[in-house]
PDB file of all heavy atoms in Angstrom:
ATOM      1  N   ALA A  52     -32.846  -0.044 -17.918  1.00  0.00           N
ATOM      2  CA  ALA A  52     -33.320   1.228 -17.136  1.00  0.00           C
ATOM      3  C   ALA A  52     -33.015   2.325 -18.107  1.00  0.00           C
ATOM      4  O   ALA A  52     -34.005   3.207 -18.263  1.00  0.00           O
ATOM      5  CB  ALA A  52     -32.669   1.387 -15.747  1.00  0.00           C
ATOM      6  N   MET A  53     -31.889   2.493 -18.732  1.00  0.00           N
ATOM      7  CA  MET A  53     -31.659   3.503 -19.589  1.00  0.00           C
ATOM      8  C   MET A  53     -32.507   3.586 -20.797  1.00  0.00           C
ATOM      9  O   MET A  53     -33.081   4.599 -21.253  1.00  0.00           O
ATOM     10  CB  MET A  53     -30.161   3.437 -20.227  1.00  0.00           C
ATOM     11  CG  MET A  53     -29.644   4.653 -20.873  1.00  0.00           C
ATOM     12  SD  MET A  53     -27.985   4.435 -21.469  1.00  0.00           S
ATOM     13  CE  MET A  53     -28.232   3.230 -22.850  1.00  0.00           C
ATOM     14  N   LEU A  54     -32.961   2.370 -21.340  1.00  0.00           N
ATOM     15  CA  LEU A  54     -33.737   2.346 -22.503  1.00  0.00           C
ATOM     16  C   LEU A  54     -35.107   2.795 -22.084  1.00  0.00           C
ATOM     17  O   LEU A  54     -35.867   3.576 -22.842  1.00  0.00           O
ATOM     18  CB  LEU A  54     -33.893   0.868 -23.065  1.00  0.00           C
ATOM     19  CG  LEU A  54     -32.559   0.419 -23.776  1.00  0.00           C
ATOM     20  CD1 LEU A  54     -32.813  -1.104 -24.059  1.00  0.00           C
ATOM     21  CD2 LEU A  54     -32.355   1.092 -25.010  1.00  0.00           C
ATOM     22  N   LEU A  55     -35.742   2.305 -20.832  1.00  0.00           N
ATOM     23  CA  LEU A  55     -36.896   2.811 -20.382  1.00  0.00           C
ATOM     24  C   LEU A  55     -36.984   4.304 -20.190  1.00  0.00           C
ATOM     25  O   LEU A  55     -38.000   5.005 -20.419  1.00  0.00           O
ATOM     26  CB  LEU A  55     -37.417   2.144 -19.152  1.00  0.00           C
ATOM     27  CG  LEU A  55     -37.584   0.557 -19.171  1.00  0.00           C
ATOM     28  CD1 LEU A  55     -38.101   0.085 -17.875  1.00  0.00           C
ATOM     29  CD2 LEU A  55     -38.762   0.258 -20.213  1.00  0.00           C
ATOM     30  N   ASN A  56     -35.967   4.884 -19.681  1.00  0.00           N
ATOM     31  CA  ASN A  56     -35.812   6.256 -19.449  1.00  0.00           C
ATOM     32  C   ASN A  56     -35.910   6.965 -20.738  1.00  0.00           C
ATOM     33  O   ASN A  56     -36.555   7.951 -20.773  1.00  0.00           O
ATOM     34  CB  ASN A  56     -34.351   6.541 -18.788  1.00  0.00           C
ATOM     35  CG  ASN A  56     -34.486   7.114 -17.438  1.00  0.00           C
ATOM     36  OD1 ASN A  56     -35.495   7.537 -17.059  1.00  0.00           O
ATOM     37  ND2 ASN A  56     -33.432   6.869 -16.629  1.00  0.00           N
ATOM     38  N   VAL A  57     -35.151   6.553 -21.681  1.00  0.00           N
ATOM     39  CA  VAL A  57     -35.176   7.152 -23.047  1.00  0.00           C
ATOM     40  C   VAL A  57     -36.599   7.296 -23.655  1.00  0.00           C
ATOM     41  O   VAL A  57     -37.135   8.204 -24.115  1.00  0.00           O
ATOM     42  CB  VAL A  57     -34.157   6.565 -23.930  1.00  0.00           C
ATOM     43  CG1 VAL A  57     -34.460   6.988 -25.441  1.00  0.00           C
ATOM     44  CG2 VAL A  57     -32.772   6.869 -23.720  1.00  0.00           C
ATOM     45  N   ARG A  58     -37.283   6.183 -23.507  1.00  0.00           N
ATOM     46  CA  ARG A  58     -38.701   5.936 -24.008  1.00  0.00           C
ATOM     47  C   ARG A  58     -39.627   6.974 -23.294  1.00  0.00           C
ATOM     48  O   ARG A  58     -40.373   7.717 -23.840  1.00  0.00           O
ATOM     49  CB  ARG A  58     -39.140   4.494 -23.827  1.00  0.00           C
ATOM     50  CG  ARG A  58     -40.456   4.308 -24.385  1.00  0.00           C
ATOM     51  CD  ARG A  58     -40.448   4.254 -26.001  1.00  0.00           C
ATOM     52  NE  ARG A  58     -41.853   4.280 -26.403  1.00  0.00           N
ATOM     53  CZ  ARG A  58     -42.465   5.384 -26.975  1.00  0.00           C
ATOM     54  NH1 ARG A  58     -41.898   6.599 -27.006  1.00  0.00           N
ATOM     55  NH2 ARG A  58     -43.665   5.390 -27.377  1.00  0.00           N
ATOM     56  N   SER A  59     -39.442   7.045 -21.926  1.00  0.00           N
ATOM     57  CA  SER A  59     -40.439   7.798 -21.163  1.00  0.00           C
ATOM     58  C   SER A  59     -40.079   9.295 -21.381  1.00  0.00           C
ATOM     59  O   SER A  59     -41.022  10.179 -21.492  1.00  0.00           O
ATOM     60  CB  SER A  59     -40.250   7.532 -19.686  1.00  0.00           C
ATOM     61  OG  SER A  59     -38.993   7.779 -19.183  1.00  0.00           O
ATOM     62  N   LEU A  60     -38.849   9.655 -21.495  1.00  0.00           N
ATOM     63  CA  LEU A  60     -38.454  11.083 -21.607  1.00  0.00           C
ATOM     64  C   LEU A  60     -38.703  11.596 -23.145  1.00  0.00           C
ATOM     65  O   LEU A  60     -38.771  12.760 -23.405  1.00  0.00           O
ATOM     66  CB  LEU A  60     -37.090  11.318 -21.306  1.00  0.00           C
ATOM     67  CG  LEU A  60     -36.795  11.205 -19.785  1.00  0.00           C
ATOM     68  CD1 LEU A  60     -35.174  11.384 -19.535  1.00  0.00           C
ATOM     69  CD2 LEU A  60     -37.499  12.341 -19.079  1.00  0.00           C
ATOM     70  N   SER A  61     -39.085  10.637 -23.999  1.00  0.00           N
ATOM     71  CA  SER A  61     -39.443  11.081 -25.375  1.00  0.00           C
ATOM     72  C   SER A  61     -40.801  11.658 -25.368  1.00  0.00           C
ATOM     73  O   SER A  61     -41.097  12.357 -26.264  1.00  0.00           O
ATOM     74  CB  SER A  61     -39.386   9.931 -26.500  1.00  0.00           C
ATOM     75  OG  SER A  61     -40.355   8.995 -25.960  1.00  0.00           O
ATOM     76  N   VAL A  62     -41.538  11.440 -24.334  1.00  0.00           N
ATOM     77  CA  VAL A  62     -42.959  11.908 -24.164  1.00  0.00           C
ATOM     78  C   VAL A  62     -43.079  12.866 -23.091  1.00  0.00           C
ATOM     79  O   VAL A  62     -43.765  13.971 -23.195  1.00  0.00           O
ATOM     80  CB  VAL A  62     -43.928  10.786 -23.952  1.00  0.00           C
ATOM     81  CG1 VAL A  62     -45.362  11.238 -23.802  1.00  0.00           C
ATOM     82  CG2 VAL A  62     -43.897   9.865 -25.190  1.00  0.00           C
ATOM     83  N   LEU A  63     -42.445  12.606 -21.952  1.00  0.00           N
ATOM     84  CA  LEU A  63     -42.619  13.439 -20.796  1.00  0.00           C
ATOM     85  C   LEU A  63     -41.953  14.811 -20.960  1.00  0.00           C
ATOM     86  O   LEU A  63     -40.955  14.958 -21.720  1.00  0.00           O
ATOM     87  CB  LEU A  63     -42.009  12.847 -19.550  1.00  0.00           C
ATOM     88  CG  LEU A  63     -42.754  11.569 -19.057  1.00  0.00           C
ATOM     89  CD1 LEU A  63     -41.990  10.995 -17.864  1.00  0.00           C
ATOM     90  CD2 LEU A  63     -44.150  11.764 -18.759  1.00  0.00           C
ATOM     91  N   PRO A  64     -42.499  15.878 -20.343  1.00  0.00           N
ATOM     92  CA  PRO A  64     -41.729  17.154 -20.350  1.00  0.00           C
ATOM     93  C   PRO A  64     -40.480  17.190 -19.769  1.00  0.00           C
ATOM     94  O   PRO A  64     -40.297  16.353 -18.733  1.00  0.00           O
ATOM     95  CB  PRO A  64     -42.795  18.133 -19.731  1.00  0.00           C
ATOM     96  CG  PRO A  64     -43.561  17.348 -18.903  1.00  0.00           C
ATOM     97  CD  PRO A  64     -43.616  15.988 -19.527  1.00  0.00           C
ATOM     98  N   LEU A  65     -39.452  18.000 -20.011  1.00  0.00           N
ATOM     99  CA  LEU A  65     -38.233  17.974 -19.428  1.00  0.00           C
ATOM    100  C   LEU A  65     -38.224  18.275 -18.005  1.00  0.00           C
ATOM    101  O   LEU A  65     -37.492  17.672 -17.163  1.00  0.00           O
ATOM    102  CB  LEU A  65     -37.282  19.066 -20.129  1.00  0.00           C
ATOM    103  CG  LEU A  65     -35.831  19.081 -19.825  1.00  0.00           C
ATOM    104  CD1 LEU A  65     -35.266  17.592 -20.303  1.00  0.00           C
ATOM    105  CD2 LEU A  65     -35.191  20.256 -20.617  1.00  0.00           C
ATOM    106  N   ARG A  66     -39.255  19.015 -17.584  1.00  0.00           N
ATOM    107  CA  ARG A  66     -39.313  19.379 -16.012  1.00  0.00           C
ATOM    108  C   ARG A  66     -39.600  18.115 -15.231  1.00  0.00           C
ATOM    109  O   ARG A  66     -39.423  18.060 -14.033  1.00  0.00           O
ATOM    110  CB  ARG A  66     -40.451  20.424 -15.775  1.00  0.00           C
ATOM    111  CG  ARG A  66     -41.832  19.955 -16.046  1.00  0.00           C
ATOM    112  CD  ARG A  66     -42.711  21.152 -15.640  1.00  0.00           C
ATOM    113  NE  ARG A  66     -44.068  20.751 -15.867  1.00  0.00           N
ATOM    114  CZ  ARG A  66     -44.756  20.927 -17.010  1.00  0.00           C
ATOM    115  NH1 ARG A  66     -44.083  21.533 -17.995  1.00  0.00           N
ATOM    116  NH2 ARG A  66     -45.998  20.685 -17.199  1.00  0.00           N
ATOM    117  N   ALA A  67     -40.101  17.029 -15.880  1.00  0.00           N
ATOM    118  CA  ALA A  67     -40.369  15.806 -15.177  1.00  0.00           C
ATOM    119  C   ALA A  67     -39.061  15.200 -14.569  1.00  0.00           C
ATOM    120  O   ALA A  67     -38.948  14.585 -13.478  1.00  0.00           O
ATOM    121  CB  ALA A  67     -40.994  14.724 -16.067  1.00  0.00           C
ATOM    122  N   LEU A  68     -37.970  15.415 -15.423  1.00  0.00           N
ATOM    123  CA  LEU A  68     -36.611  15.018 -14.953  1.00  0.00           C
ATOM    124  C   LEU A  68     -36.286  15.541 -13.601  1.00  0.00           C
ATOM    125  O   LEU A  68     -35.634  14.916 -12.783  1.00  0.00           O
ATOM    126  CB  LEU A  68     -35.508  15.455 -15.948  1.00  0.00           C
ATOM    127  CG  LEU A  68     -34.864  14.434 -16.856  1.00  0.00           C
ATOM    128  CD1 LEU A  68     -33.866  15.127 -17.616  1.00  0.00           C
ATOM    129  CD2 LEU A  68     -34.365  13.233 -16.039  1.00  0.00           C
ATOM    130  N   ALA A  69     -36.592  16.845 -13.346  1.00  0.00           N
ATOM    131  CA  ALA A  69     -36.246  17.529 -11.913  1.00  0.00           C
ATOM    132  C   ALA A  69     -36.764  16.869 -10.860  1.00  0.00           C
ATOM    133  O   ALA A  69     -36.115  16.859  -9.794  1.00  0.00           O
ATOM    134  CB  ALA A  69     -36.763  19.071 -12.168  1.00  0.00           C
ATOM    135  N   PHE A  70     -37.991  16.181 -10.863  1.00  0.00           N
ATOM    136  CA  PHE A  70     -38.397  15.675  -9.718  1.00  0.00           C
ATOM    137  C   PHE A  70     -38.483  14.098  -9.731  1.00  0.00           C
ATOM    138  O   PHE A  70     -38.516  13.455  -8.734  1.00  0.00           O
ATOM    139  CB  PHE A  70     -39.888  16.037  -9.238  1.00  0.00           C
ATOM    140  CG  PHE A  70     -40.855  15.761 -10.336  1.00  0.00           C
ATOM    141  CD1 PHE A  70     -41.536  14.574 -10.364  1.00  0.00           C
ATOM    142  CD2 PHE A  70     -41.158  16.807 -11.129  1.00  0.00           C
ATOM    143  CE1 PHE A  70     -42.610  14.444 -11.378  1.00  0.00           C
ATOM    144  CE2 PHE A  70     -42.151  16.777 -12.169  1.00  0.00           C
ATOM    145  CZ  PHE A  70     -42.876  15.558 -12.182  1.00  0.00           C
ATOM    146  N   ILE A  71     -38.093  13.485 -10.864  1.00  0.00           N
ATOM    147  CA  ILE A  71     -37.970  11.963 -11.058  1.00  0.00           C
ATOM    148  C   ILE A  71     -36.454  11.644 -10.681  1.00  0.00           C
ATOM    149  O   ILE A  71     -36.262  10.619  -9.942  1.00  0.00           O
ATOM    150  CB  ILE A  71     -38.408  11.471 -12.512  1.00  0.00           C
ATOM    151  CG1 ILE A  71     -39.800  11.670 -12.634  1.00  0.00           C
ATOM    152  CG2 ILE A  71     -37.811  10.021 -12.686  1.00  0.00           C
ATOM    153  CD1 ILE A  71     -40.227  11.269 -14.082  1.00  0.00           C
ATOM    154  N   SER A  72     -35.483  12.251 -11.241  1.00  0.00           N
ATOM    155  CA  SER A  72     -34.101  11.956 -10.922  1.00  0.00           C
ATOM    156  C   SER A  72     -33.759  11.769  -9.506  1.00  0.00           C
ATOM    157  O   SER A  72     -32.990  11.043  -9.082  1.00  0.00           O
ATOM    158  CB  SER A  72     -33.177  12.525 -11.726  1.00  0.00           C
ATOM    159  OG  SER A  72     -33.312  14.032 -11.558  1.00  0.00           O
ATOM    160  N   PRO A  73     -34.176  12.777  -8.604  1.00  0.00           N
ATOM    161  CA  PRO A  73     -33.763  12.583  -7.209  1.00  0.00           C
ATOM    162  C   PRO A  73     -34.320  11.420  -6.550  1.00  0.00           C
ATOM    163  O   PRO A  73     -33.819  11.003  -5.510  1.00  0.00           O
ATOM    164  CB  PRO A  73     -34.377  13.889  -6.556  1.00  0.00           C
ATOM    165  CG  PRO A  73     -34.480  14.835  -7.640  1.00  0.00           C
ATOM    166  CD  PRO A  73     -34.806  14.004  -8.747  1.00  0.00           C
ATOM    167  N   VAL A  74     -35.509  10.682  -6.969  1.00  0.00           N
ATOM    168  CA  VAL A  74     -35.985   9.618  -6.437  1.00  0.00           C
ATOM    169  C   VAL A  74     -35.026   8.445  -6.406  1.00  0.00           C
ATOM    170  O   VAL A  74     -34.944   7.765  -5.387  1.00  0.00           O
ATOM    171  CB  VAL A  74     -37.193   9.168  -7.239  1.00  0.00           C
ATOM    172  CG1 VAL A  74     -37.756   7.800  -6.686  1.00  0.00           C
ATOM    173  CG2 VAL A  74     -38.370  10.111  -7.261  1.00  0.00           C
ATOM    174  N   ALA A  75     -33.970   8.397  -7.312  1.00  0.00           N
ATOM    175  CA  ALA A  75     -32.954   7.376  -7.274  1.00  0.00           C
ATOM    176  C   ALA A  75     -32.086   7.580  -5.978  1.00  0.00           C
ATOM    177  O   ALA A  75     -31.692   6.492  -5.464  1.00  0.00           O
ATOM    178  CB  ALA A  75     -32.192   7.415  -8.501  1.00  0.00           C
ATOM    179  N   TYR A  76     -31.907   8.698  -5.594  1.00  0.00           N
ATOM    180  CA  TYR A  76     -30.933   9.063  -4.366  1.00  0.00           C
ATOM    181  C   TYR A  76     -31.601   8.737  -3.112  1.00  0.00           C
ATOM    182  O   TYR A  76     -31.088   8.653  -2.141  1.00  0.00           O
ATOM    183  CB  TYR A  76     -30.498  10.490  -4.487  1.00  0.00           C
ATOM    184  CG  TYR A  76     -29.579  10.767  -5.693  1.00  0.00           C
ATOM    185  CD1 TYR A  76     -30.081  11.101  -6.898  1.00  0.00           C
ATOM    186  CD2 TYR A  76     -28.250  10.494  -5.522  1.00  0.00           C
ATOM    187  CE1 TYR A  76     -29.155  11.268  -8.043  1.00  0.00           C
ATOM    188  CE2 TYR A  76     -27.393  10.426  -6.541  1.00  0.00           C
ATOM    189  CZ  TYR A  76     -27.792  11.034  -7.864  1.00  0.00           C
ATOM    190  OH  TYR A  76     -26.924  11.126  -8.838  1.00  0.00           O
ATOM    191  N   ILE A  77     -33.035   8.575  -3.179  1.00  0.00           N
ATOM    192  CA  ILE A  77     -33.735   8.152  -1.956  1.00  0.00           C
ATOM    193  C   ILE A  77     -33.815   6.659  -1.962  1.00  0.00           C
ATOM    194  O   ILE A  77     -33.505   5.988  -1.044  1.00  0.00           O
ATOM    195  CB  ILE A  77     -35.252   8.680  -1.973  1.00  0.00           C
ATOM    196  CG1 ILE A  77     -35.218  10.322  -2.051  1.00  0.00           C
ATOM    197  CG2 ILE A  77     -36.050   8.153  -0.788  1.00  0.00           C
ATOM    198  CD1 ILE A  77     -36.601  10.920  -2.310  1.00  0.00           C
ATOM    199  N   LEU A  78     -34.149   6.105  -3.178  1.00  0.00           N
ATOM    200  CA  LEU A  78     -34.411   4.648  -3.283  1.00  0.00           C
ATOM    201  C   LEU A  78     -33.173   3.851  -3.029  1.00  0.00           C
ATOM    202  O   LEU A  78     -33.182   2.824  -2.474  1.00  0.00           O
ATOM    203  CB  LEU A  78     -35.053   4.310  -4.678  1.00  0.00           C
ATOM    204  CG  LEU A  78     -35.558   3.003  -4.851  1.00  0.00           C
ATOM    205  CD1 LEU A  78     -36.731   2.629  -3.979  1.00  0.00           C
ATOM    206  CD2 LEU A  78     -35.824   2.898  -6.345  1.00  0.00           C
ATOM    207  N   THR A  79     -32.046   4.161  -3.807  1.00  0.00           N
ATOM    208  CA  THR A  79     -30.838   3.434  -3.758  1.00  0.00           C
ATOM    209  C   THR A  79     -30.426   3.281  -2.183  1.00  0.00           C
ATOM    210  O   THR A  79     -29.970   1.999  -1.852  1.00  0.00           O
ATOM    211  CB  THR A  79     -29.749   4.082  -4.555  1.00  0.00           C
ATOM    212  OG1 THR A  79     -30.387   4.073  -5.893  1.00  0.00           O
ATOM    213  CG2 THR A  79     -28.470   3.089  -4.640  1.00  0.00           C
ATOM    214  N   PRO A  80     -30.089   4.310  -1.404  1.00  0.00           N
ATOM    215  CA  PRO A  80     -29.669   4.001  -0.085  1.00  0.00           C
ATOM    216  C   PRO A  80     -30.723   3.135   0.785  1.00  0.00           C
ATOM    217  O   PRO A  80     -30.226   2.344   1.592  1.00  0.00           O
ATOM    218  CB  PRO A  80     -29.681   5.330   0.533  1.00  0.00           C
ATOM    219  CG  PRO A  80     -29.374   6.282  -0.748  1.00  0.00           C
ATOM    220  CD  PRO A  80     -30.184   5.744  -1.758  1.00  0.00           C
ATOM    221  N   LEU A  81     -32.044   3.394   0.425  1.00  0.00           N
ATOM    222  CA  LEU A  81     -33.090   2.547   1.220  1.00  0.00           C
ATOM    223  C   LEU A  81     -32.863   1.092   0.757  1.00  0.00           C
ATOM    224  O   LEU A  81     -33.077   0.127   1.766  1.00  0.00           O
ATOM    225  CB  LEU A  81     -34.408   2.989   0.811  1.00  0.00           C
ATOM    226  CG  LEU A  81     -35.046   4.233   1.506  1.00  0.00           C
ATOM    227  CD1 LEU A  81     -36.363   4.633   1.035  1.00  0.00           C
ATOM    228  CD2 LEU A  81     -35.135   3.916   3.071  1.00  0.00           C
ATOM    229  N   LEU A  82     -32.712   0.747  -0.413  1.00  0.00           N
ATOM    230  CA  LEU A  82     -32.497  -0.589  -0.926  1.00  0.00           C
ATOM    231  C   LEU A  82     -31.236  -1.076  -0.184  1.00  0.00           C
ATOM    232  O   LEU A  82     -31.105  -2.335   0.059  1.00  0.00           O
ATOM    233  CB  LEU A  82     -32.457  -0.616  -2.474  1.00  0.00           C
ATOM    234  CG  LEU A  82     -33.633  -0.480  -3.278  1.00  0.00           C
ATOM    235  CD1 LEU A  82     -33.439  -0.449  -4.718  1.00  0.00           C
ATOM    236  CD2 LEU A  82     -34.803  -1.503  -2.836  1.00  0.00           C
ATOM    237  N   ALA A  83     -30.166  -0.364  -0.182  1.00  0.00           N
ATOM    238  CA  ALA A  83     -28.843  -0.816   0.366  1.00  0.00           C
ATOM    239  C   ALA A  83     -29.114  -1.157   1.897  1.00  0.00           C
ATOM    240  O   ALA A  83     -28.561  -2.095   2.315  1.00  0.00           O
ATOM    241  CB  ALA A  83     -27.824   0.300   0.201  1.00  0.00           C
ATOM    242  N   GLY A  84     -29.934  -0.358   2.603  1.00  0.00           N
ATOM    243  CA  GLY A  84     -30.122  -0.677   3.973  1.00  0.00           C
ATOM    244  C   GLY A  84     -31.019  -1.808   4.286  1.00  0.00           C
ATOM    245  O   GLY A  84     -30.893  -2.659   4.999  1.00  0.00           O
TER     246      GLY A  84
END
Side-chain angles (χ1 to χ4, degrees):
Chain A
M53 190 182 72
L54 291 172
L55 292 181
N56 246 337
V57 167
R58 185 71 191 100
S59 63
L60 290 171
S61 68
V62 173
L63 294 178
L65 191 57
R66 66 175 180 272
L68 251 186
F70 59 85
I71 288 172
S72 52
V74 172
Y76 291 91
I77 299 169
L78 190 66
T79 304
L81 279 177
L82 289 175

